[in-house]
Amino acid sequence: MVDIIHRVGIKAPVSKVYAALSTVEGVAGWWTKETSGSSKIGGTIGVRFLSADGKEIGSMNMEVVALDPNKKVQWRFTSGPEEWVGTNVIFNLSQDGDYTIVLFAHKNWREANEFTSHCSMKWATFMLSLKELVETGKGKPSPNDIKIDNWN
Amino acid sequence: MVDIIHRVGIKAPVSKVYAALSTVEGVAGWWTKETSGSSKIGGTIGVRFLSADGKEIGSMNMEVVALDPNKKVQWRFTSGPEEWVGTNVIFNLSQDGDYTIVLFAHKNWREANEFTSHCSMKWATFMLSLKELVETGKGKPSPNDIKIDNWN
């Protein structure tokens, strides 16, 4: 199994970072504006990605499987790209001086292929967007996300 | 063994991207300004990373082990952080329409720990810097690199 992992440090209290990860409004501020559903444990959050001209280019549903306040958020993807279904995204949070450290992991990809590489790069840009959102009040959620290649 | 992998697409001819990866001047334009040495096959390139106030915060040496014009560049780290020594970085290039696709891999980490996560995120920002350098003429090499956490 293959994992995508990233580390980012955000100059803000851990409670602010946790709020950005554990609520629909939060996720809409850094991942995609088109975020809806229930962010409670066992709830399903839906995310949709639109092109600049408003066409849907992708969507996923994820179940909220863990919410440990100021420590951990975990999602399990129940629909979306075939490679994503059944995989888990985990955010582990800790405080280190002025920084909240986010250890990101998208775990249990079946293989490391070109799409995995694309998603690793794309997750990194969304972690930068999360950092910007919490530090400045404004992230870069889709469709204003950083474009990295000819796929998105 | 653990690999860091990323995919980036650059709107430029493959020869321009290859030049940015296979020459000392190229690498100095996107990774770190403090790049020196020989970029020929079997040569050693040295890279140093400075803080904003000019103190060295890290350095590595790498041997150029593969140069396949417009297709592949491979380095093997011979000194630097303990976790890096013996690992390989590989850039595989291909053309897809207007884009040059870079498949980046930093291969054979002994484990996936917090430093691996930091380096995965940091490599992603340097791939954005490479894209900017080739597309606009100006990258973000260290010490002007994007800061991602409390380590760098």
mmCIF file of all heavy atoms in Angstrom, chain A residues 65-92:
data_model
loop_
_atom_site.group_PDB
_atom_site.id
_atom_site.type_symbol
_atom_site.label_atom_id
_atom_site.label_comp_id
_atom_site.label_asym_id
_atom_site.label_seq_id
_atom_site.Cartn_x
_atom_site.Cartn_y
_atom_site.Cartn_z
ATOM 1 N N VAL A 65 -15.045 9.646 9.931
ATOM 2 C CA VAL A 65 -14.871 8.461 10.785
ATOM 3 C C VAL A 65 -14.168 8.766 12.108
ATOM 4 O O VAL A 65 -14.253 7.977 13.037
ATOM 5 C CB VAL A 65 -14.139 7.302 10.058
ATOM 6 C CG1 VAL A 65 -14.997 6.770 8.920
ATOM 7 C CG2 VAL A 65 -12.779 7.717 9.548
ATOM 8 N N ALA A 66 -13.481 9.899 12.204
ATOM 9 C CA ALA A 66 -12.873 10.265 13.496
ATOM 10 C C ALA A 66 -12.834 11.772 13.646
ATOM 11 O O ALA A 66 -12.505 12.497 12.690
ATOM 12 C CB ALA A 66 -11.460 9.688 13.623
ATOM 13 N N LEU A 67 -13.203 12.242 14.818
ATOM 14 C CA LEU A 67 -13.144 13.662 15.182
ATOM 15 C C LEU A 67 -12.664 13.726 16.620
ATOM 16 O O LEU A 67 -13.433 13.478 17.551
ATOM 17 C CB LEU A 67 -14.537 14.310 15.113
ATOM 18 C CG LEU A 67 -15.145 14.653 13.753
ATOM 19 C CD1 LEU A 67 -16.530 15.256 13.946
ATOM 20 C CD2 LEU A 67 -14.259 15.618 12.974
ATOM 21 N N ASP A 68 -11.399 14.023 16.806
ATOM 22 C CA ASP A 68 -10.843 14.127 18.149
ATOM 23 C C ASP A 68 -10.431 15.597 18.313
ATOM 24 O O ASP A 68 -9.405 16.021 17.753
ATOM 25 C CB ASP A 68 -9.632 13.177 18.256
ATOM 26 C CG ASP A 68 -9.139 13.027 19.674
ATOM 27 O OD1 ASP A 68 -9.634 13.752 20.564
ATOM 28 O OD2 ASP A 68 -8.237 12.188 19.883
ATOM 29 N N PRO A 69 -11.239 16.386 19.032
ATOM 30 C CA PRO A 69 -11.064 17.838 19.016
ATOM 31 C C PRO A 69 -9.615 18.285 19.223
ATOM 32 O O PRO A 69 -8.956 17.862 20.179
ATOM 33 C CB PRO A 69 -11.974 18.311 20.146
ATOM 34 C CG PRO A 69 -13.101 17.327 20.110
ATOM 35 C CD PRO A 69 -12.418 16.003 19.836
ATOM 36 N N ASN A 70 -9.146 19.116 18.299
ATOM 37 C CA ASN A 70 -7.796 19.697 18.309
ATOM 38 C C ASN A 70 -6.683 18.667 18.159
ATOM 39 O O ASN A 70 -5.508 18.986 18.359
ATOM 40 C CB ASN A 70 -7.561 20.539 19.574
ATOM 41 C CG ASN A 70 -8.552 21.687 19.670
ATOM 42 O OD1 ASN A 70 -9.107 22.100 18.658
ATOM 43 N ND2 ASN A 70 -8.775 22.190 20.865
ATOM 44 N N LYS A 71 -7.062 17.438 17.804
ATOM 45 C CA LYS A 71 -6.037 16.384 17.652
ATOM 46 C C LYS A 71 -6.094 15.662 16.310
ATOM 47 O O LYS A 71 -5.064 15.428 15.694
ATOM 48 C CB LYS A 71 -6.181 15.360 18.773
ATOM 49 C CG LYS A 71 -5.704 15.912 20.098
ATOM 50 C CD LYS A 71 -5.592 14.828 21.135
ATOM 51 C CE LYS A 71 -5.173 15.400 22.485
ATOM 52 N NZ LYS A 71 -5.593 14.558 23.602
ATOM 53 N N LYS A 72 -7.297 15.292 15.884
ATOM 54 C CA LYS A 72 -7.357 14.410 14.713
ATOM 55 C C LYS A 72 -8.695 14.515 13.981
ATOM 56 O O LYS A 72 -9.746 14.611 14.621
ATOM 57 C CB LYS A 72 -7.161 12.959 15.179
ATOM 58 C CG LYS A 72 -7.169 11.924 14.072
ATOM 59 C CD LYS A 72 -6.942 10.535 14.661
ATOM 60 C CE LYS A 72 -7.089 9.454 13.629
ATOM 61 N NZ LYS A 72 -6.871 8.110 14.170
ATOM 62 N N VAL A 73 -8.627 14.497 12.658
ATOM 63 C CA VAL A 73 -9.817 14.382 11.806
ATOM 64 C C VAL A 73 -9.519 13.278 10.801
ATOM 65 O O VAL A 73 -8.413 13.212 10.258
ATOM 66 C CB VAL A 73 -10.110 15.707 11.054
ATOM 67 C CG1 VAL A 73 -11.227 15.530 10.034
ATOM 68 C CG2 VAL A 73 -10.453 16.825 12.036
ATOM 69 N N GLN A 74 -10.481 12.393 10.609
ATOM 70 C CA GLN A 74 -10.284 11.306 9.629
ATOM 71 C C GLN A 74 -11.525 11.128 8.772
ATOM 72 O O GLN A 74 -12.642 11.125 9.272
ATOM 73 C CB GLN A 74 -9.966 9.991 10.362
ATOM 74 C CG GLN A 74 -9.685 8.828 9.396
ATOM 75 C CD GLN A 74 -9.117 7.606 10.090
ATOM 76 O OE1 GLN A 74 -8.705 7.679 11.257
ATOM 77 N NE2 GLN A 74 -9.085 6.488 9.386
ATOM 78 N N TRP A 75 -11.295 11.004 7.462
ATOM 79 C CA TRP A 75 -12.375 10.768 6.501
ATOM 80 C C TRP A 75 -12.096 9.454 5.763
ATOM 81 O O TRP A 75 -10.948 9.112 5.490
ATOM 82 C CB TRP A 75 -12.399 11.863 5.430
ATOM 83 C CG TRP A 75 -12.539 13.276 5.907
ATOM 84 C CD1 TRP A 75 -13.243 13.738 6.985
ATOM 85 C CD2 TRP A 75 -11.968 14.454 5.278
ATOM 86 N NE1 TRP A 75 -13.146 15.106 7.065
ATOM 87 C CE2 TRP A 75 -12.370 15.576 6.033
ATOM 88 C CE3 TRP A 75 -11.168 14.670 4.144
ATOM 89 C CZ2 TRP A 75 -11.995 16.882 5.694
ATOM 90 C CZ3 TRP A 75 -10.790 15.965 3.810
ATOM 91 C CH2 TRP A 75 -11.212 17.052 4.583
ATOM 92 N N ARG A 76 -13.195 8.786 5.370
ATOM 93 C CA ARG A 76 -13.064 7.615 4.497
ATOM 94 C C ARG A 76 -13.877 7.887 3.248
ATOM 95 O O ARG A 76 -15.072 8.216 3.339
ATOM 96 C CB ARG A 76 -13.580 6.355 5.202
ATOM 97 C CG ARG A 76 -13.314 5.056 4.422
ATOM 98 C CD ARG A 76 -13.739 3.832 5.234
ATOM 99 N NE ARG A 76 -15.156 3.853 5.540
ATOM 100 C CZ ARG A 76 -16.125 3.438 4.719
ATOM 101 N NH1 ARG A 76 -15.828 2.958 3.536
ATOM 102 N NH2 ARG A 76 -17.396 3.505 5.093
ATOM 103 N N PHE A 77 -13.265 7.752 2.085
ATOM 104 C CA PHE A 77 -13.959 8.063 0.835
ATOM 105 C C PHE A 77 -14.869 6.910 0.435
ATOM 106 O O PHE A 77 -14.438 5.754 0.367
ATOM 107 C CB PHE A 77 -12.960 8.408 -0.274
ATOM 108 C CG PHE A 77 -12.313 9.737 -0.015
ATOM 109 C CD1 PHE A 77 -11.118 9.813 0.682
ATOM 110 C CD2 PHE A 77 -12.956 10.909 -0.365
ATOM 111 C CE1 PHE A 77 -10.548 11.035 0.991
ATOM 112 C CE2 PHE A 77 -12.395 12.144 -0.052
ATOM 113 C CZ PHE A 77 -11.192 12.202 0.625
ATOM 114 N N THR A 78 -16.146 7.248 0.198
ATOM 115 C CA THR A 78 -17.146 6.229 -0.129
ATOM 116 C C THR A 78 -17.546 6.296 -1.598
ATOM 117 O O THR A 78 -18.123 5.346 -2.127
ATOM 118 C CB THR A 78 -18.393 6.406 0.757
ATOM 119 O OG1 THR A 78 -18.871 7.759 0.631
ATOM 120 C CG2 THR A 78 -18.052 6.139 2.223
ATOM 121 N N SER A 79 -17.242 7.409 -2.266
ATOM 122 C CA SER A 79 -17.453 7.490 -3.717
ATOM 123 C C SER A 79 -16.489 8.517 -4.279
ATOM 124 O O SER A 79 -15.936 9.337 -3.535
ATOM 125 C CB SER A 79 -18.894 7.855 -4.053
ATOM 126 O OG SER A 79 -19.138 9.217 -3.765
ATOM 127 N N GLY A 80 -16.299 8.458 -5.581
ATOM 128 C CA GLY A 80 -15.347 9.361 -6.245
ATOM 129 C C GLY A 80 -14.497 8.573 -7.207
ATOM 130 O O GLY A 80 -14.927 7.508 -7.691
ATOM 131 N N PRO A 81 -13.284 9.042 -7.506
ATOM 132 C CA PRO A 81 -12.408 8.275 -8.399
ATOM 133 C C PRO A 81 -12.208 6.866 -7.824
ATOM 134 O O PRO A 81 -12.058 6.708 -6.607
ATOM 135 C CB PRO A 81 -11.092 9.060 -8.376
ATOM 136 C CG PRO A 81 -11.451 10.432 -7.899
ATOM 137 C CD PRO A 81 -12.637 10.269 -7.010
ATOM 138 N N GLU A 82 -12.210 5.892 -8.695
ATOM 139 C CA GLU A 82 -12.076 4.490 -8.271
ATOM 140 C C GLU A 82 -10.907 4.297 -7.300
ATOM 141 O O GLU A 82 -11.009 3.577 -6.306
ATOM 142 C CB GLU A 82 -11.875 3.628 -9.527
ATOM 143 C CG GLU A 82 -11.879 2.141 -9.278
ATOM 144 C CD GLU A 82 -11.224 1.377 -10.434
ATOM 145 O OE1 GLU A 82 -11.025 1.981 -11.504
ATOM 146 O OE2 GLU A 82 -10.897 0.189 -10.223
ATOM 147 N N GLU A 83 -9.781 4.989 -7.597
ATOM 148 C CA GLU A 83 -8.578 4.823 -6.768
ATOM 149 C C GLU A 83 -8.777 5.356 -5.352
ATOM 150 O O GLU A 83 -8.016 5.006 -4.450
ATOM 151 C CB GLU A 83 -7.384 5.566 -7.406
ATOM 152 C CG GLU A 83 -6.939 5.024 -8.754
ATOM 153 C CD GLU A 83 -7.630 5.700 -9.928
ATOM 154 O OE1 GLU A 83 -8.763 6.225 -9.742
ATOM 155 O OE2 GLU A 83 -7.047 5.709 -11.023
ATOM 156 N N TRP A 84 -9.760 6.252 -5.158
ATOM 157 C CA TRP A 84 -9.961 6.880 -3.856
ATOM 158 C C TRP A 84 -10.917 6.087 -2.966
ATOM 159 O O TRP A 84 -10.857 6.217 -1.734
ATOM 160 C CB TRP A 84 -10.545 8.293 -4.029
ATOM 161 C CG TRP A 84 -9.560 9.335 -4.434
ATOM 162 C CD1 TRP A 84 -8.648 9.255 -5.455
ATOM 163 C CD2 TRP A 84 -9.377 10.633 -3.841
ATOM 164 N NE1 TRP A 84 -7.922 10.430 -5.526
ATOM 165 C CE2 TRP A 84 -8.353 11.290 -4.552
ATOM 166 C CE3 TRP A 84 -9.996 11.305 -2.788
ATOM 167 C CZ2 TRP A 84 -7.928 12.581 -4.240
ATOM 168 C CZ3 TRP A 84 -9.571 12.600 -2.479
ATOM 169 C CH2 TRP A 84 -8.549 13.224 -3.202
ATOM 170 N N VAL A 85 -11.810 5.319 -3.566
ATOM 171 C CA VAL A 85 -12.861 4.666 -2.776
ATOM 172 C C VAL A 85 -12.216 3.679 -1.789
ATOM 173 O O VAL A 85 -11.423 2.827 -2.176
ATOM 174 C CB VAL A 85 -13.881 3.961 -3.699
ATOM 175 C CG1 VAL A 85 -14.906 3.187 -2.866
ATOM 176 C CG2 VAL A 85 -14.582 4.985 -4.581
ATOM 177 N N GLY A 86 -12.551 3.855 -0.523
ATOM 178 C CA GLY A 86 -11.993 2.996 0.518
ATOM 179 C C GLY A 86 -10.722 3.548 1.152
ATOM 180 O O GLY A 86 -10.297 3.057 2.192
ATOM 181 N N THR A 87 -10.114 4.576 0.530
ATOM 182 C CA THR A 87 -8.914 5.171 1.138
ATOM 183 C C THR A 87 -9.324 6.142 2.247
ATOM 184 O O THR A 87 -10.465 6.587 2.307
ATOM 185 C CB THR A 87 -8.054 5.929 0.101
ATOM 186 O OG1 THR A 87 -8.817 7.016 -0.429
ATOM 187 C CG2 THR A 87 -7.612 5.021 -1.025
ATOM 188 N N ASN A 88 -8.385 6.435 3.124
ATOM 189 C CA ASN A 88 -8.632 7.331 4.254
ATOM 190 C C ASN A 88 -7.698 8.519 4.198
ATOM 191 O O ASN A 88 -6.517 8.367 3.873
ATOM 192 C CB ASN A 88 -8.378 6.610 5.584
ATOM 193 C CG ASN A 88 -9.535 5.708 5.979
ATOM 194 O OD1 ASN A 88 -10.273 5.997 6.896
ATOM 195 N ND2 ASN A 88 -9.714 4.605 5.264
ATOM 196 N N VAL A 89 -8.245 9.678 4.546
ATOM 197 C CA VAL A 89 -7.409 10.866 4.770
ATOM 198 C C VAL A 89 -7.415 11.169 6.258
ATOM 199 O O VAL A 89 -8.479 11.178 6.898
ATOM 200 C CB VAL A 89 -7.906 12.072 3.947
ATOM 201 C CG1 VAL A 89 -7.404 13.391 4.539
ATOM 202 C CG2 VAL A 89 -7.431 11.959 2.508
ATOM 203 N N ILE A 90 -6.231 11.368 6.814
ATOM 204 C CA ILE A 90 -6.086 11.640 8.244
ATOM 205 C C ILE A 90 -5.282 12.922 8.427
ATOM 206 O O ILE A 90 -4.238 13.107 7.795
ATOM 207 C CB ILE A 90 -5.357 10.470 8.944
ATOM 208 C CG1 ILE A 90 -6.126 9.163 8.712
ATOM 209 C CG2 ILE A 90 -5.207 10.740 10.447
ATOM 210 C CD1 ILE A 90 -5.366 7.932 9.144
ATOM 211 N N PHE A 91 -5.787 13.804 9.290
ATOM 212 C CA PHE A 91 -5.060 15.001 9.711
ATOM 213 C C PHE A 91 -4.752 14.843 11.194
ATOM 214 O O PHE A 91 -5.683 14.779 12.009
ATOM 215 C CB PHE A 91 -5.913 16.258 9.516
ATOM 216 C CG PHE A 91 -6.463 16.461 8.131
ATOM 217 C CD1 PHE A 91 -7.685 15.921 7.758
ATOM 218 C CD2 PHE A 91 -5.748 17.192 7.187
ATOM 219 C CE1 PHE A 91 -8.203 16.123 6.486
ATOM 220 C CE2 PHE A 91 -6.252 17.394 5.907
ATOM 221 C CZ PHE A 91 -7.491 16.858 5.551
ATOM 222 N N ASN A 92 -3.482 14.761 11.553
ATOM 223 C CA ASN A 92 -3.090 14.740 12.967
ATOM 224 C C ASN A 92 -2.521 16.100 13.341
ATOM 225 O O ASN A 92 -1.637 16.613 12.642
ATOM 226 C CB ASN A 92 -2.046 13.645 13.217
ATOM 227 C CG ASN A 92 -2.692 12.288 13.442
ATOM 228 O OD1 ASN A 92 -3.493 12.128 14.352
ATOM 229 N ND2 ASN A 92 -2.361 11.328 12.592
#
